[in-house]
């Protein structure tokens, strides 16, 4: 996977992506990250890339031409027509694991980070193929959002994670949250590791973990169940859990009255 990031702060991208698991993947050659400084494509002697919005209003806008030239310098070297170009914006589609999986199929991804109050709409119309938001809040720029997207996509790229199957056993892969995990010591602050995990019986361990995943998802993120892949027996279990939760809630409310 080759990431190309159009940004006013290339060092932020290089430092962030050069650290930890993505950093190791870059060293191994499973990933490449090329941060392109949009300011290098400014066309005036002050190297400014922003200007006032027509019609007035607060703040400055990134101008179309430097963004376009920076994009073109990358796009012209990517074979196969108009390359996938992601604009990070709170107006985009909310990012999720399915989007990460889908983007990971690309050989090259261009990510465009905005600053100031936004970017001239005309260049967005010409170059952007996907607009992505990482959540309903406003960041000072697109760099952190681009790194969130690149990090999640990287995990799905073969050779990035040490253990090939770990990308798919964690939260969201089956539409469920991950089960709780425990390491040594066996007792900590008086709390024991669940006995089944010490039994060495893999079948029982798997069944317990699956059950815990379902319980967590019902309690914490019931919205995820809409797309979860469960057996009939498991759906019955979900119904029981939901009924129990509702009764507990009702009992709590009655107590308050
Ligand atoms: N730029 C500013 N806020 C953002 C957000 N929430 N997601 C993606 N890009 C952004």
């Amino acid at each position: 996977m080759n990431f190309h990031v159009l940004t006013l702060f290339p060092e932020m991208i290089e430092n962030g992506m050069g650290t930890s698991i993505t950093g190791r993947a870059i060293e191994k050659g499973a990933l490449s990250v090329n941060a392109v400084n949009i300011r290098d494509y400014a066309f005036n002697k002050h190297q400014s890339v922003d200007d006032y919005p027509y019609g007035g209003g607060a703040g400055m806008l990134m101008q179309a031409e430097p963004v376009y030239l920076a994009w073109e310098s990358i796009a012209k070297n990517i074979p196969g027509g108009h390359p996938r170009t992601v604009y990070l914006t709170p107006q985009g589609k909310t990012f999720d694991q399915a989007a990460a999986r889908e983007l990971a199929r690309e050989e090259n991804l261009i990510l465009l980070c905005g600053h100031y109050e936004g970017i001239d709409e005309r260049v967005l119309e010409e170059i952007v193929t996907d607009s992505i938001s990482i959540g309903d809040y406003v960041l000072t720029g697109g760099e952190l959002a681009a790194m969130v997207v690149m990090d999640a996509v990287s995990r799905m790229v073969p050779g990035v994670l040490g253990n090939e199957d770990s990308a798919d056993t964690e939260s969201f892969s089956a539409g469920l949250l991950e089960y709780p995990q425990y390491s040594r010591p066996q007792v900590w602050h008086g709390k024991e590791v669940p006995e089944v995990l010490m039994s060495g019986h893999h079948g029982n361990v798997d069944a317990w973990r699956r059950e815990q995943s379902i319980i967590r998802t019902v309690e914490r993120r019931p919205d995820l169940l809409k797309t979860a892949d469960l057996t009939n027996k498991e759906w019955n279990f979900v119904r029981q859990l939901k009924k129990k939760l509702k009764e507990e809630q009702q009992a709590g409310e009655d107590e308050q009255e």
Side-chain angles (χ1 to χ4, degrees), residues 1 3 13-33 150-151 154-155 157-163 166:
M1 166 64 73
F3 294 115
I13 301 293
E14 282 155 7
N15 291 338
M17 293 300 288
T19 304
S20 185
I21 292 176
T22 48
R24 242 172 292 139
I26 293 168
E27 275 171 25
K28 278 198 299 186
L31 296 179
S32 78
V33 177
M150 288 189 285
D151 190 285
S154 296
R155 293 181 71 263
V157 172
V160 170
L161 295 183
N163 178 357
S166 56

Side-chain angles (χ1 to χ4, degrees), residues 4 6 67-68 71-87 103 106-112 122-131:
H4 312 268
L6 311 179
V67 172
Y68 185 75
W71 177 82
E72 196 182 35
S73 76
I74 300 300
K76 69 172 194 246
N77 296 318
I78 298 175
H82 195 109
R84 201 80 183 263
T85 303
V86 174
Y87 176 42
L103 288 174
E106 300 287 335
E107 192 65 31
N108 289 279
L109 274 181
I110 301 179
L111 296 106
L112 170 60
R122 293 166 296 182
V123 68
L124 299 177
E125 285 168 10
E126 285 206 15
I127 70 174
V128 172
T129 59
D130 303 72
S131 291

Side-chain angles (χ1 to χ4, degrees), residues 191-207:
K191 295 168 192 274
E192 299 252 9
V193 172
E195 206 165 315
V196 61
L197 300 179
M198 322 290 295
S199 68
H201 189 301
H202 294 302
N204 288 353
V205 169
D206 287 349

Side-chain angles (χ1 to χ4, degrees), residues 88-90 132-135 137-139 141-142 145:
L88 287 311
T89 167
I132 291 181
S133 165
I134 62 160
Y137 40 81
V138 182
L139 304 168

Side-chain angles (χ1 to χ4, degrees), residues 97 101 155-156 161 163-181 206 209-210 213 217:
Q97 191 62 27
R101 212 174 286 130
R155 293 181 71 263
M156 313 304 293
L161 295 183
N163 178 357
E164 274 304 307
D165 65 12
S166 56
D168 259 340
T169 57
E170 290 169 20
S171 294
F172 301 124
S173 292
L176 295 172
L177 297 182
E178 201 185 14
Y179 45 80
Q181 304 236 59
D206 287 349
R209 286 179 166 167
R210 179 84 181 170
S213 283
T217 310

